[in-house]
């Protein structure tokens, strides 16, 4: 009833799925045609209402920093680029189609004074593009500083802002926000304070507005109202400060799921509650002014999604465009039956073993594989080898044919063959006898005595 009274578009709902973990960041461009969602699964998904059908599939998926959760996304005023903030110390700039344009530098972690570092030295917590200037962005970090950057200079920042602290040290800046006209910035500090700086000539780190102990726990979100007179803050302490529209978390012992709560701005009274998910907490929410549609991200460690609430009679374009566009029905010609040939005999079980007869015959002809022994020395060959030349060498064959080698030794008597050279050796000794010719005495042989023998 409260929703109908205040014309809140919650009659219909669609879900943009695809993430594997909780969706932690959300950004809708100013025209309402493209949606960015970032998740704890380290990815960013890009959706285009004009190009989607009722399946609501993303047209591109990015992984800005490997192993780092996506914490914030923000479109430029002209919607031609967007800022991506992850758990790393370096923010990235992408164009409208998801192509990387640059990455901001990381500071030197060994320099104590943060104002002397060229960039953040610890993980980022939030970031937002300037609402008017298309070349300026704002980031906050766990290193305890806020920094203003020029998107054309990735090697150094324009301004370093150190929040006011009760005692020296480094306390994380958990969130940051621009005022709608870009005249001032706000930062939520880990000590529970909210600090606001007016951008004017000669301004420094001293805040113009300092709200001490605005919350008792970490501040998770800051947002200026359209007229710039009201600052909305959200914290994990369960309290709301000037909050108009927010999401709730699922408690362990609670019977309610993740809700969207709408409050009257003047009286801060609850106007309406809308259940988004029975089991998941609402992480990030946005109400697009042109589309008049409400976006809420949910999820856990296994999956995540972006719920879009709208009313066909109150909302315009956006989800209405793609929900009405049904996916193309498949024709019978789209299916192609792949023929399956059944040939059981080709299976190893039925296949005949290959014949090895030829292999055995070839192996027998090979003397090495067959281990054939050497032929005997006797026979028609020479030296145990059979051939047309009756020898293994051409030289032996030529010597034999020329008469220089005669095979007569098998028919001769060895004793007679040696003694036939005895007379020639005695007449013309060639070796041992000439050496002793002068000194060797003449042999005297005993004459036989017939009497003694008798």
């Amino acid at each position: 009833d409260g929703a109908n009274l205040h014309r809140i578009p919650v009659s219909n709902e669609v879900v943009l799925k695809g993430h594997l973990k909780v969706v932690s960041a959300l950004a809708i461009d100013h025209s309402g045609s493209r949606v960015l969602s970032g998740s704890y699964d380290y990815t960013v998904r890009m959706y285009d209402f004009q190009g989607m059908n009722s399946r609501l599939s993303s047209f591109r998926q990015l992984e800005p920093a490997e192993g780092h959760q996506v914490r914030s996304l923000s479109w430029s005023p002209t919607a031609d680029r967007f800022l991506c903030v992850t758990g790393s110390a370096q923010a990235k700039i992408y164009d409208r189609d998801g192509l990387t344009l640059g990455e901001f530098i990381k500071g030197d972690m060994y320099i104590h004074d943060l104002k002397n570092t060229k960039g953040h030295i610890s993980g980022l917590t939030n970031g937002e593009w300037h609402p008017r200037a298309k070349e300026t962005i704002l980031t906050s970090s766990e290193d305890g500083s806020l920094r203003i950057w020029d998107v054309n200079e990735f090697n150094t920042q324009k301004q370093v802002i150190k929040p006011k602290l009760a005692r020296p040290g480094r306390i994380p800046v958990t969130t940051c926000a621009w005022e709608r006209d870009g005249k001032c910035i706000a930062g939520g500090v880990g000590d529970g304070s909210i600090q606001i700086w007016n951008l004017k000539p000669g301004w420094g780190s001293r805040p113009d507005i300092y709200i001490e102990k605005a919350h008792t726990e970490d501040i998770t979100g800051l947002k200026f109202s359209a007229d710039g007179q009201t600052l909305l803050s959200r914290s994990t302490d369960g309290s709301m400060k000037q909050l108009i529209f927010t999401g709730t978390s699922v408690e362990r012992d609670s019977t309610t799921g993740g809700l969207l709560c709408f409050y009257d701005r003047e009286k801060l009274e609850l106007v309406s509650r809308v259940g988004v998910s029975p089991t998941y907490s609402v992480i990030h929410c946005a109400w697009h002014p042109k589309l008049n549609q409400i976006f809420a991200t949910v999820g856990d460690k296994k999956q995540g999604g972006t719920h879009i609430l709208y009313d066909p009679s109150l909302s315009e374009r956006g989800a209405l465009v793609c929900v009405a566009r049904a996916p193309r029905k498949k024709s019978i010609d789209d299916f192609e039956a792949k023929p399956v040939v059944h040939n059981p005999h080709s299976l190893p079980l039925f296949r005949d073993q290959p014949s090895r007869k030829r292999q055995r015959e070839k192996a027998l002809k090979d003397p090495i594989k067959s281990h054939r022994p050497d032929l005997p020395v006797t026979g028609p060959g020479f030296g145990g080898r059979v051939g047309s030349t009756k020898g293994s060498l051409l030289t032996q064959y030529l010597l034999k044919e020329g008469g220089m080698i005669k095979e007569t030794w098998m028919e001769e008597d060895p004793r007679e063959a040696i003694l036939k050279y005895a007379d020639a050796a005695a007449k013309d000794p060639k070796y041992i006898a000439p050496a002793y010719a002068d000194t060797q005495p003449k042999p005297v042989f005993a004459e036989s005595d017939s009497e003694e023998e008798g």
Side-chain angles (χ1 to χ4, degrees), residues 285-322:
C285 56
W287 192 338
H288 198 276
K290 289 187 178 180
L291 301 181
N292 195 21
Q293 297 176 13
I294 298 171
F295 297 77
T297 67
V298 299
D300 60 1
K301 295 181 180 180
K302 297 182 179 180
Q303 63 178 348
T306 303
H307 292 248
I308 305 177
L309 306 178
Y310 65 96
D311 190 328
S313 60
L314 302 176
S315 305
E316 298 180 2
R317 301 192 311 276
L320 291 173
V321 176
C322 55

Side-chain angles (χ1 to χ4, degrees), residues 380-383 385-394 396-397:
F382 185 83
R385 297 177 179 84
V386 180
S388 60
T389 61
K390 297 182 181 181
S392 61
L393 299 176
L394 179 61
Q396 295 177 351
Y397 174 74

Side-chain angles (χ1 to χ4, degrees), residues 241-257:
K241 309 293 182 179
Q242 299 294 322
L243 195 58
I244 308 300
F245 154 64
T246 185
T248 64
S249 302
V250 178
E251 302 295 337
R252 290 185 178 180
D253 300 331
S254 176
T255 57
T256 60

Side-chain angles (χ1 to χ4, degrees), residues 353-365:
Q353 295 294 329
S355 177
R356 298 184 179 180
K357 183 178 179 180
R358 293 183 179 180
Q359 296 181 1
R360 290 195 298 268
E361 292 177 353
K362 187 176 181 180
L364 288 174
K365 295 180 180 179

Side-chain angles (χ1 to χ4, degrees), residues 331-375:
S331 171
I332 191 173
D333 297 329
D334 294 344
F335 299 94
E336 180 181 358
K338 296 183 179 180
V340 180
V341 179
H342 297 279
N343 184 11
H345 294 287
S346 64
L347 299 175
L349 179 64
F350 301 99
R351 190 179 302 163
D352 295 333
Q353 295 294 329
S355 177
R356 298 184 179 180
K357 183 178 179 180
R358 293 183 179 180
Q359 296 181 1
R360 290 195 298 268
E361 292 177 353
K362 187 176 181 180
L364 288 174
K365 295 180 180 179
D366 190 343
I368 298 177
K369 292 184 178 179
S370 62
H371 302 286
R372 184 178 62 183
D374 293 337
L375 297 175

Side-chain angles (χ1 to χ4, degrees), residues 71-185:
R71 295 185 174 178
S72 178
L73 296 166
S74 180
W75 284 100
S76 66
T78 55
D80 60 337
R81 292 168 291 182
F82 67 88
L83 167 67
C84 178
V85 172
T86 64
S88 69
Q90 298 171 273
K92 279 190 174 182
I93 302 294
Y94 293 87
D95 68 359
R96 184 174 176 83
D97 295 324
L99 300 178
T100 305
L101 298 179
E103 183 180 37
F104 293 102
I105 192 172
K106 182 179 180 180
D108 189 348
M109 61 183 299
Y110 296 103
I111 298 178
H112 181 72
D113 191 354
L114 295 176
K115 287 192 174 182
N116 295 328
T117 59
K118 295 183 178 180
H120 289 292
I121 61 174
S122 300
L124 302 177
T125 57
N126 201 359
E128 190 173 321
W129 211 295
H130 193 287
R132 303 289 183 182
K134 63 180 182 179
E135 308 297 334
T136 306
I137 65 168
L138 172 68
T139 58
S140 59
S141 170
E142 296 172 352
D143 62 10
S145 68
L146 296 95
R147 297 174 192 259
I148 300 176
W149 304 80
D150 187 337
V151 296
N152 296 321
E153 297 289 339
F154 292 100
N155 293 327
T156 183
Q157 70 272 330
K158 293 173 59 178
Q159 181 76 22
V160 181
I161 307 167
K162 295 171 62 177
K164 178 182 177 181
L165 302 176
R167 61 183 62 181
R170 289 184 181 178
I171 299 179
V173 181
T174 56
T175 186
C176 59
W178 287 99
E179 189 260 341
R180 291 304 178 102
D181 292 328
K183 296 180 179 179
C184 64
I185 59 175

